[in-house]
Amino acid sequence: MSNLQPHIQLDGSLGIKYALLPGDPARLDRISPFLENVIELKFNREYRSLMGTYKGVKVLAISTGIGGASAGIAVEELHNIGVQAMIRIGSCGSLQPKVKMGDIILVSGAVRDDGASKTYVDPIFPAVPDANLLFACMETAKEKNIPHHIGIARSHDSFYTDEEESIDAFWSKKGVLGCDMETAALFTIGHLRGVQTASILNNVVAYEGDTSDSIGNYVDGESLSMQGEQNEIYVALEAFVKMENNLC
């Protein structure tokens, strides 16, 4: 196939149904050891990609950068080349004391407090994952006793708004587990395009902690969050195997 996509620089000749969507291009270096027969593909703008196999299932991993707008472009272009199921493996900040550093959140719905998803459909439209893909993630986390929580996340567009502390406090009181910047766009656009989606968020910011300090520790590999990242990669890959074998 020659449908080369302008941003991700990939086309349908890959013949891959499943994709992992981290935000950070560097995270592909930590996904690669989970896979066999790894091939680096492209690196254009924020979109770095590689492919490999996990338990016989072909998997694409592609970074999406920061925010719903760039993640949305990835979803659209991956759909154009035949990808049918996508799992975000990202980071988040905790909005609840029970969500500890390195815990993962399996997102059952997202508050659409972003701009990207709103350009597609009215905000009254829900942002939810594919039920079977979410269930596959839940089963894996339970089977392996991985510290996890299931619930709502909030997607937003900036860490640095003037009222961010009060905004976080508002959503915390509503029972929202954590916040990221991409899940709402992934769920909304994925649904509209007929793509199965799920989002697994690794908590890298302690409840009422400082985002910039925590993310600095995360990048340096000096916190529990690194184990959370390993867990979210494993859960996502196992979920793809379950989907491929019709176990969910």
Side-chain angles (χ1 to χ4, degrees):
M1 299 176 68
S2 59
N3 56 339
L4 183 68
Q5 300 299 300
H7 298 92
I8 64 174
Q9 290 288 295
L10 302 174
D11 64 33
S13 65
L14 295 176
I16 295 180
K17 296 191 296 183
Y18 304 104
L20 297 177
L21 275 58
D24 184 0
R27 199 168 301 149
L28 269 70
D29 294 328
R30 301 189 290 275
I31 293 171
S32 182
F34 284 83
L35 305 176
E36 297 180 337
N37 308 311
V38 175
I39 301 173
E40 285 273 352
L41 296 172
K42 299 291 184 177
F43 197 160
N44 183 54
R45 295 177 178 259
E46 59 265 58
Y47 305 106
R48 177 188 172 195
S49 57
L50 60 78
M51 62 183 291
T53 59
Y54 180 80
K55 295 186 176 180
V57 178
K58 289 177 66 175
V59 176
L60 174 71
I62 181 167
S63 56
T64 66
I66 296 176
S70 59
I73 289 171
V75 173
E76 292 278 21
E77 296 192 0
L78 289 170
H79 168 253
N80 289 344
I81 66 169
V83 175
Q84 299 173 18
M86 308 174 194
I87 300 180
R88 167 165 160 71
I89 45 170
S91 55
C92 73
S94 172
L95 293 181
Q96 302 296 332
K98 67 179 180 180
V99 182
K100 307 300 183 183
M101 294 286 287
D103 287 3
I104 62 172
I105 297 173
L106 308 179
V107 184
S108 61
V111 176
R112 293 176 54 202
D113 207 5
D114 67 315
S117 72
K118 293 173 185 174
T119 66
Y120 280 81
V121 64
D122 191 277
I124 199 171
F125 187 87
V128 293
D130 175 79
N132 288 331
L133 199 53
L134 173 60
F135 186 68
C137 293
M138 290 166 54
E139 275 202 334
T140 299
K142 290 175 183 176
E143 288 166 359
K144 299 301 180 181
N145 294 313
I146 291 171
H148 69 284
H149 308 267
I150 303 163
I152 297 171
R154 167 185 169 248
S155 293
H156 60 99
D157 281 340
S158 178
F159 294 118
Y160 301 112
T161 60
D162 294 337
E163 306 298 328
E164 195 63 27
E165 188 173 321
S166 62
I167 294 170
D168 284 346
F170 173 84
W171 290 111
S172 176
K173 290 178 181 177
K174 305 303 180 187
V176 173
L177 297 181
C179 50
D180 82 334
M181 301 179 73
E182 295 83 14
T183 296
L186 169 67
F187 286 175
T188 303
I189 300 169
H191 180 86
L192 294 174
R193 297 294 179 257
V195 174
Q196 295 175 301
T197 62
S199 179
I200 307 173
L201 303 179
N202 170 33
N203 179 38
V204 301
V205 183
Y207 175 63
E208 296 185 337
D210 183 89
T211 299
S212 58
D213 287 347
S214 297
I215 289 178
N217 290 338
Y218 175 65
V219 172
D220 294 336
E222 297 175 352
S223 73
L224 291 172
S225 302
M226 295 306 294
Q227 182 59 54
E229 181 182 79
Q230 295 288 305
N231 287 340
E232 68 178 346
I233 294 169
Y234 173 77
V235 168
L237 290 170
E238 286 289 323
F240 286 150
V241 172
K242 290 181 187 295
M243 297 296 287
E244 180 69 10
N245 296 324
N246 296 312
L247 298 178
C248 289

